[in-house]
Amino acid sequence: MRLGIKYKLFFALLSAHTLVLIVMFSIVNYNFDRGFREYVSRIEEQQVPALVAGLADFYRSTGSWKPLQEDYNMWSDLIRDSIEKTADPELVALRQRRLQNPGRAIDRLPPNGFTPNDWYYASEYSPARPYLHLLDAQQNVVVGTPGDFNRELANLHPIIVDGKEVGFLSVTSRQQLSAQADQLFAEEQQTFFWQLAAFLFVLSALVSFPTATYLTRPLRDVVAGTRVLSSGKFDLRLPVRGSDEISQLSEDFNTLALTLEENSKARQQWIADISHELRTPLAILQGELESVQDGIRPLNVDTLESLHAEVKHLNTLVNDLHELSMTDMGALVYEKHQVDLLDIIGQSFDLHTALAKKHNLKLGLTVDSNGTGREMKMLGDPNRLQQLFDNLLTNTLRYTDPGGELRVHLRENGNNSVVVEWCDSAPGVSDEHLGHLFDRLYRVDTSRNRKKGGSGLGLAICQNIVQAHEGTIVASHSPLGGLKLTIHFPRRANQVA
């Protein structure tokens, strides 16, 4: 049978509580047994001076221990009378009333409580204990069972009469609780401890189970939510309670669900956009070919050029889609080494000079270098960087109004990075569209006007190339009235593909 985490946590909490109870009970029981023995012994030791004085008076009046040896009751009365001299008078009267009225609940405890001597006396302990022995001057047992006398454990208190040592009162250190009252009290305390332990165990179970249920509820929500996500429903969000690690797990789950939902929508939009982009040139080709077949349109140079233009557009779109998918998968190989970024941008300008003149577009390149020369060294793939700037120039030539201007400013950002600022003139891009320029198949004209001939993939490919060089590219408004692209390249990339 497989236990859930709730029950595992419940048993873990209950086991920890039980272990604590066992250790606590063992320590308390050990300390109680030892402490109670010491307590009783200490109380009895406090009676020793009175007992010694009483025995000394007895010997002084009788001249020997023989009367005590012959009459054990006399020994008990002597000890009781000696203890009564140090007891609280109220307790003495209390004991007398109990003896006169056995079984009647007529007595109350003194309002000021018991002193140790009072407790000893009021507990009605028999003073004639096996560990009390009367010895003569030669340390022979006079009163008490000789077999119970242990000289190694006994404390001998001398009895002196008229300056002469006439005997000893032997008090044997208590090794265990022997009197019935002592054992009864200890058993009552142990029973109380067991009852308390049982109550605490039940209380621990009653507390541990709802605690385990409460702590694992977010985990159960995550498990249930994961199953919902696996079925393709990405709109689920979990409630976030508290600020611990489990709450962080719920937040991460919600972030994952949101990401999956956005990716699902993006994938659907991506498929729809690709279908639209591919369907348009194919529809035009089909329409023109059918016109030629039906004899509506003659098969001449103009018709062939129109067909060729649509085929070129379709080929460009397919190639861009393929290249973008390859960059997404990391299939493009980047052979990085030290290159001069200024030289690469200059080559792109040279390749597009004629096309720029055709569009009446002015190109400008400025360099701000911290070094002595005009070189802008960085670690990169020259072919991919050439592709990057060719795509940017093509995008500028395609969308900038005739008679416009392109200014490229290349500068060093300390010794850490190289910055390329790509600014063109009108038309500009509204704030609404700036954040989507790097989305696939996204174009500012919502009607998807094909006059410019763009596929909407150029900037997405540029972004992939920049990111492959561990750089960043950000779009903003150009001071010339058009679009500004700011590219940061690190001087030395951490990863060489």
Side-chain angles (χ1 to χ4, degrees), residues 47 58 67 77 144 169 171 208 216 220 240 252 321 323 340 366 384 387 448 452 465 492:
Q47 310 299 328
F58 177 84
D77 293 339
L169 176 64
V171 181
S208 299
T216 57
R220 295 198 306 272
V240 179
D252 294 341
L321 287 172
E323 187 170 352
D340 184 3
T366 59
R384 299 305 170 192
Q387 179 186 6
R448 293 189 179 273
K452 301 294 184 179
I465 295 175
R492 294 182 178 180

PDB file of all heavy atoms in Angstrom, residues 47 58 67 77 144 169 171 208 216 220 240 252 321 323 340 366 384 387 448 452 465 492:
ATOM      1  N   GLN A  47      15.560  14.342  60.986  1.00  0.00           N
ATOM      2  CA  GLN A  47      15.069  13.914  62.293  1.00  0.00           C
ATOM      3  C   GLN A  47      16.174  13.316  63.177  1.00  0.00           C
ATOM      4  O   GLN A  47      15.954  13.038  64.373  1.00  0.00           O
ATOM      5  CB  GLN A  47      13.975  12.849  62.112  1.00  0.00           C
ATOM      6  CG  GLN A  47      12.887  13.229  61.126  1.00  0.00           C
ATOM      7  CD  GLN A  47      12.146  14.474  61.562  1.00  0.00           C
ATOM      8  OE1 GLN A  47      11.994  14.708  62.765  1.00  0.00           O
ATOM      9  NE2 GLN A  47      11.678  15.257  60.602  1.00  0.00           N
ATOM     10  N   PHE A  58      17.039   8.826  76.953  1.00  0.00           N
ATOM     11  CA  PHE A  58      16.593   7.510  77.406  1.00  0.00           C
ATOM     12  C   PHE A  58      17.720   6.784  78.126  1.00  0.00           C
ATOM     13  O   PHE A  58      17.525   6.197  79.211  1.00  0.00           O
ATOM     14  CB  PHE A  58      16.119   6.697  76.196  1.00  0.00           C
ATOM     15  CG  PHE A  58      15.695   5.296  76.555  1.00  0.00           C
ATOM     16  CD1 PHE A  58      14.411   5.033  77.023  1.00  0.00           C
ATOM     17  CD2 PHE A  58      16.595   4.228  76.454  1.00  0.00           C
ATOM     18  CE1 PHE A  58      14.030   3.733  77.354  1.00  0.00           C
ATOM     19  CE2 PHE A  58      16.213   2.940  76.792  1.00  0.00           C
ATOM     20  CZ  PHE A  58      14.923   2.699  77.238  1.00  0.00           C
ATOM     21  N   PRO A  67      16.133  -2.070  77.979  1.00  0.00           N
ATOM     22  CA  PRO A  67      14.673  -1.933  77.858  1.00  0.00           C
ATOM     23  C   PRO A  67      14.216  -1.839  76.387  1.00  0.00           C
ATOM     24  O   PRO A  67      13.181  -2.387  76.021  1.00  0.00           O
ATOM     25  CB  PRO A  67      14.375  -0.671  78.647  1.00  0.00           C
ATOM     26  CG  PRO A  67      15.482  -0.562  79.630  1.00  0.00           C
ATOM     27  CD  PRO A  67      16.686  -1.074  78.919  1.00  0.00           C
ATOM     28  N   ASP A  77       7.897   4.101  70.188  1.00  0.00           N
ATOM     29  CA  ASP A  77       7.361   5.262  70.893  1.00  0.00           C
ATOM     30  C   ASP A  77       8.445   6.310  71.114  1.00  0.00           C
ATOM     31  O   ASP A  77       8.189   7.521  71.023  1.00  0.00           O
ATOM     32  CB  ASP A  77       6.771   4.835  72.238  1.00  0.00           C
ATOM     33  CG  ASP A  77       5.526   3.964  72.063  1.00  0.00           C
ATOM     34  OD1 ASP A  77       4.919   4.050  70.963  1.00  0.00           O
ATOM     35  OD2 ASP A  77       5.179   3.229  73.001  1.00  0.00           O
ATOM     36  N   GLY A 144      16.861  -3.579  65.973  1.00  0.00           N
ATOM     37  CA  GLY A 144      16.804  -3.663  64.514  1.00  0.00           C
ATOM     38  C   GLY A 144      17.254  -5.021  64.054  1.00  0.00           C
ATOM     39  O   GLY A 144      17.888  -5.777  64.801  1.00  0.00           O
ATOM     40  N   LEU A 169      23.403   5.740  66.510  1.00  0.00           N
ATOM     41  CA  LEU A 169      22.180   5.597  65.718  1.00  0.00           C
ATOM     42  C   LEU A 169      22.607   5.426  64.266  1.00  0.00           C
ATOM     43  O   LEU A 169      23.227   6.312  63.681  1.00  0.00           O
ATOM     44  CB  LEU A 169      21.275   6.821  65.859  1.00  0.00           C
ATOM     45  CG  LEU A 169      20.005   6.797  64.986  1.00  0.00           C
ATOM     46  CD1 LEU A 169      19.092   5.639  65.399  1.00  0.00           C
ATOM     47  CD2 LEU A 169      19.262   8.132  65.065  1.00  0.00           C
ATOM     48  N   VAL A 171      21.825   5.110  60.415  1.00  0.00           N
ATOM     49  CA  VAL A 171      20.841   5.435  59.362  1.00  0.00           C
ATOM     50  C   VAL A 171      21.422   4.966  58.038  1.00  0.00           C
ATOM     51  O   VAL A 171      22.413   5.515  57.551  1.00  0.00           O
ATOM     52  CB  VAL A 171      20.536   6.943  59.322  1.00  0.00           C
ATOM     53  CG1 VAL A 171      19.499   7.243  58.244  1.00  0.00           C
ATOM     54  CG2 VAL A 171      20.052   7.425  60.685  1.00  0.00           C
ATOM     55  N   SER A 208      -1.331  16.595  14.859  1.00  0.00           N
ATOM     56  CA  SER A 208      -0.476  16.259  13.719  1.00  0.00           C
ATOM     57  C   SER A 208      -1.286  16.027  12.448  1.00  0.00           C
ATOM     58  O   SER A 208      -0.860  16.442  11.355  1.00  0.00           O
ATOM     59  CB  SER A 208       0.359  15.017  14.039  1.00  0.00           C
ATOM     60  OG  SER A 208       1.197  15.241  15.134  1.00  0.00           O
ATOM     61  N   THR A 216       0.098  19.819   3.450  1.00  0.00           N
ATOM     62  CA  THR A 216       0.163  19.125   2.158  1.00  0.00           C
ATOM     63  C   THR A 216      -0.940  19.546   1.198  1.00  0.00           C
ATOM     64  O   THR A 216      -0.952  19.092   0.053  1.00  0.00           O
ATOM     65  CB  THR A 216       0.073  17.604   2.379  1.00  0.00           C
ATOM     66  OG1 THR A 216      -1.144  17.286   3.097  1.00  0.00           O
ATOM     67  CG2 THR A 216       1.275  17.102   3.169  1.00  0.00           C
ATOM     68  N   ARG A 220      -1.137  18.894  -2.834  1.00  0.00           N
ATOM     69  CA  ARG A 220      -2.217  18.184  -3.527  1.00  0.00           C
ATOM     70  C   ARG A 220      -2.794  19.054  -4.640  1.00  0.00           C
ATOM     71  O   ARG A 220      -3.156  18.546  -5.713  1.00  0.00           O
ATOM     72  CB  ARG A 220      -3.319  17.814  -2.522  1.00  0.00           C
ATOM     73  CG  ARG A 220      -2.873  16.810  -1.466  1.00  0.00           C
ATOM     74  CD  ARG A 220      -4.080  16.148  -0.788  1.00  0.00           C
ATOM     75  NE  ARG A 220      -4.989  17.137  -0.245  1.00  0.00           N
ATOM     76  CZ  ARG A 220      -4.889  17.655   0.983  1.00  0.00           C
ATOM     77  NH1 ARG A 220      -3.891  17.284   1.768  1.00  0.00           N
ATOM     78  NH2 ARG A 220      -5.765  18.536   1.429  1.00  0.00           N
ATOM     79  N   VAL A 240      -2.306  30.993  -3.913  1.00  0.00           N
ATOM     80  CA  VAL A 240      -1.011  31.083  -3.239  1.00  0.00           C
ATOM     81  C   VAL A 240      -1.264  31.498  -1.794  1.00  0.00           C
ATOM     82  O   VAL A 240      -1.814  32.566  -1.528  1.00  0.00           O
ATOM     83  CB  VAL A 240      -0.084  32.092  -3.931  1.00  0.00           C
ATOM     84  CG1 VAL A 240       1.242  32.188  -3.196  1.00  0.00           C
ATOM     85  CG2 VAL A 240       0.134  31.691  -5.382  1.00  0.00           C
ATOM     86  N   ASP A 252       5.376  29.202  -8.808  1.00  0.00           N
ATOM     87  CA  ASP A 252       6.087  28.670  -9.974  1.00  0.00           C
ATOM     88  C   ASP A 252       5.143  27.886 -10.877  1.00  0.00           C
ATOM     89  O   ASP A 252       5.275  27.924 -12.111  1.00  0.00           O
ATOM     90  CB  ASP A 252       7.248  27.783  -9.523  1.00  0.00           C
ATOM     91  CG  ASP A 252       8.338  28.568  -8.802  1.00  0.00           C
ATOM     92  OD1 ASP A 252       8.362  29.802  -8.976  1.00  0.00           O
ATOM     93  OD2 ASP A 252       9.130  27.963  -8.067  1.00  0.00           O
ATOM     94  N   LEU A 321      11.680  30.988 -42.795  1.00  0.00           N
ATOM     95  CA  LEU A 321      11.082  30.075 -41.821  1.00  0.00           C
ATOM     96  C   LEU A 321      12.058  28.968 -41.442  1.00  0.00           C
ATOM     97  O   LEU A 321      12.201  28.612 -40.264  1.00  0.00           O
ATOM     98  CB  LEU A 321       9.788  29.474 -42.375  1.00  0.00           C
ATOM     99  CG  LEU A 321       8.578  30.402 -42.447  1.00  0.00           C
ATOM    100  CD1 LEU A 321       7.433  29.718 -43.205  1.00  0.00           C
ATOM    101  CD2 LEU A 321       8.115  30.802 -41.056  1.00  0.00           C
ATOM    102  N   GLU A 323      15.367  29.068 -41.684  1.00  0.00           N
ATOM    103  CA  GLU A 323      16.497  29.614 -40.953  1.00  0.00           C
ATOM    104  C   GLU A 323      16.108  29.959 -39.520  1.00  0.00           C
ATOM    105  O   GLU A 323      16.882  29.724 -38.577  1.00  0.00           O
ATOM    106  CB  GLU A 323      17.012  30.864 -41.668  1.00  0.00           C
ATOM    107  CG  GLU A 323      18.293  31.406 -41.066  1.00  0.00           C
ATOM    108  CD  GLU A 323      18.912  32.487 -41.924  1.00  0.00           C
ATOM    109  OE1 GLU A 323      18.438  32.716 -43.048  1.00  0.00           O
ATOM    110  OE2 GLU A 323      19.870  33.117 -41.449  1.00  0.00           O
ATOM    111  N   ASP A 340      36.508  42.115 -36.012  1.00  0.00           N
ATOM    112  CA  ASP A 340      36.364  43.561 -35.928  1.00  0.00           C
ATOM    113  C   ASP A 340      34.953  43.923 -36.365  1.00  0.00           C
ATOM    114  O   ASP A 340      34.604  43.777 -37.546  1.00  0.00           O
ATOM    115  CB  ASP A 340      37.409  44.247 -36.822  1.00  0.00           C
ATOM    116  CG  ASP A 340      37.374  45.765 -36.688  1.00  0.00           C
ATOM    117  OD1 ASP A 340      36.584  46.264 -35.854  1.00  0.00           O
ATOM    118  OD2 ASP A 340      38.124  46.440 -37.415  1.00  0.00           O
ATOM    119  N   THR A 366      29.366  56.258 -37.661  1.00  0.00           N
ATOM    120  CA  THR A 366      30.300  56.943 -36.769  1.00  0.00           C
ATOM    121  C   THR A 366      30.816  55.967 -35.728  1.00  0.00           C
ATOM    122  O   THR A 366      30.131  55.003 -35.350  1.00  0.00           O
ATOM    123  CB  THR A 366      29.623  58.127 -36.054  1.00  0.00           C
ATOM    124  OG1 THR A 366      28.501  57.650 -35.302  1.00  0.00           O
ATOM    125  CG2 THR A 366      29.147  59.168 -37.064  1.00  0.00           C
ATOM    126  N   ARG A 384      27.691  35.083 -39.309  1.00  0.00           N
ATOM    127  CA  ARG A 384      26.391  35.354 -38.687  1.00  0.00           C
ATOM    128  C   ARG A 384      26.233  36.842 -38.399  1.00  0.00           C
ATOM    129  O   ARG A 384      25.130  37.388 -38.531  1.00  0.00           O
ATOM    130  CB  ARG A 384      26.241  34.540 -37.400  1.00  0.00           C
ATOM    131  CG  ARG A 384      26.292  33.045 -37.623  1.00  0.00           C
ATOM    132  CD  ARG A 384      25.276  32.601 -38.627  1.00  0.00           C
ATOM    133  NE  ARG A 384      25.486  31.203 -39.018  1.00  0.00           N
ATOM    134  CZ  ARG A 384      24.902  30.612 -40.038  1.00  0.00           C
ATOM    135  NH1 ARG A 384      24.077  31.327 -40.818  1.00  0.00           N
ATOM    136  NH2 ARG A 384      25.144  29.358 -40.333  1.00  0.00           N
ATOM    137  N   GLN A 387      25.333  38.437 -41.576  1.00  0.00           N
ATOM    138  CA  GLN A 387      23.910  38.182 -41.837  1.00  0.00           C
ATOM    139  C   GLN A 387      23.028  39.117 -41.014  1.00  0.00           C
ATOM    140  O   GLN A 387      22.007  39.619 -41.485  1.00  0.00           O
ATOM    141  CB  GLN A 387      23.581  36.722 -41.530  1.00  0.00           C
ATOM    142  CG  GLN A 387      22.126  36.348 -41.754  1.00  0.00           C
ATOM    143  CD  GLN A 387      21.830  34.933 -41.307  1.00  0.00           C
ATOM    144  OE1 GLN A 387      22.686  34.269 -40.720  1.00  0.00           O
ATOM    145  NE2 GLN A 387      20.629  34.474 -41.584  1.00  0.00           N
ATOM    146  N   ARG A 448      -1.420  43.441 -43.351  1.00  0.00           N
ATOM    147  CA  ARG A 448      -0.382  42.610 -43.963  1.00  0.00           C
ATOM    148  C   ARG A 448      -0.201  42.967 -45.448  1.00  0.00           C
ATOM    149  O   ARG A 448      -0.253  42.118 -46.325  1.00  0.00           O
ATOM    150  CB  ARG A 448      -0.704  41.116 -43.807  1.00  0.00           C
ATOM    151  CG  ARG A 448      -0.653  40.668 -42.369  1.00  0.00           C
ATOM    152  CD  ARG A 448      -0.748  39.171 -42.247  1.00  0.00           C
ATOM    153  NE  ARG A 448      -0.668  38.779 -40.865  1.00  0.00           N
ATOM    154  CZ  ARG A 448       0.471  38.547 -40.222  1.00  0.00           C
ATOM    155  NH1 ARG A 448       1.598  38.709 -40.849  1.00  0.00           N
ATOM    156  NH2 ARG A 448       0.460  38.198 -38.960  1.00  0.00           N
ATOM    157  N   LYS A 452       5.752  45.867 -49.423  1.00  0.00           N
ATOM    158  CA  LYS A 452       7.139  45.972 -48.994  1.00  0.00           C
ATOM    159  C   LYS A 452       7.897  44.676 -49.197  1.00  0.00           C
ATOM    160  O   LYS A 452       9.118  44.663 -49.183  1.00  0.00           O
ATOM    161  CB  LYS A 452       7.200  46.372 -47.518  1.00  0.00           C
ATOM    162  CG  LYS A 452       6.513  47.711 -47.208  1.00  0.00           C
ATOM    163  CD  LYS A 452       7.222  48.865 -47.860  1.00  0.00           C
ATOM    164  CE  LYS A 452       6.587  50.194 -47.462  1.00  0.00           C
ATOM    165  NZ  LYS A 452       7.275  51.343 -48.072  1.00  0.00           N
ATOM    166  N   ILE A 465      20.344  35.796 -33.594  1.00  0.00           N
ATOM    167  CA  ILE A 465      21.791  35.907 -33.812  1.00  0.00           C
ATOM    168  C   ILE A 465      22.434  36.695 -32.676  1.00  0.00           C
ATOM    169  O   ILE A 465      23.507  36.323 -32.165  1.00  0.00           O
ATOM    170  CB  ILE A 465      22.071  36.580 -35.175  1.00  0.00           C
ATOM    171  CG1 ILE A 465      21.567  35.678 -36.319  1.00  0.00           C
ATOM    172  CG2 ILE A 465      23.556  36.857 -35.347  1.00  0.00           C
ATOM    173  CD1 ILE A 465      21.681  36.309 -37.696  1.00  0.00           C
ATOM    174  N   ARG A 492      33.807  39.552 -24.612  1.00  0.00           N
ATOM    175  CA  ARG A 492      34.190  38.144 -24.660  1.00  0.00           C
ATOM    176  C   ARG A 492      33.004  37.311 -24.252  1.00  0.00           C
ATOM    177  O   ARG A 492      32.517  37.431 -23.129  1.00  0.00           O
ATOM    178  CB  ARG A 492      35.368  37.854 -23.712  1.00  0.00           C
ATOM    179  CG  ARG A 492      36.638  38.553 -24.136  1.00  0.00           C
ATOM    180  CD  ARG A 492      37.773  38.190 -23.190  1.00  0.00           C
ATOM    181  NE  ARG A 492      39.017  38.821 -23.603  1.00  0.00           N
ATOM    182  CZ  ARG A 492      40.186  38.672 -22.954  1.00  0.00           C
ATOM    183  NH1 ARG A 492      40.212  37.912 -21.856  1.00  0.00           N
ATOM    184  NH2 ARG A 492      41.274  39.261 -23.380  1.00  0.00           N
TER     185      ARG A 492
END
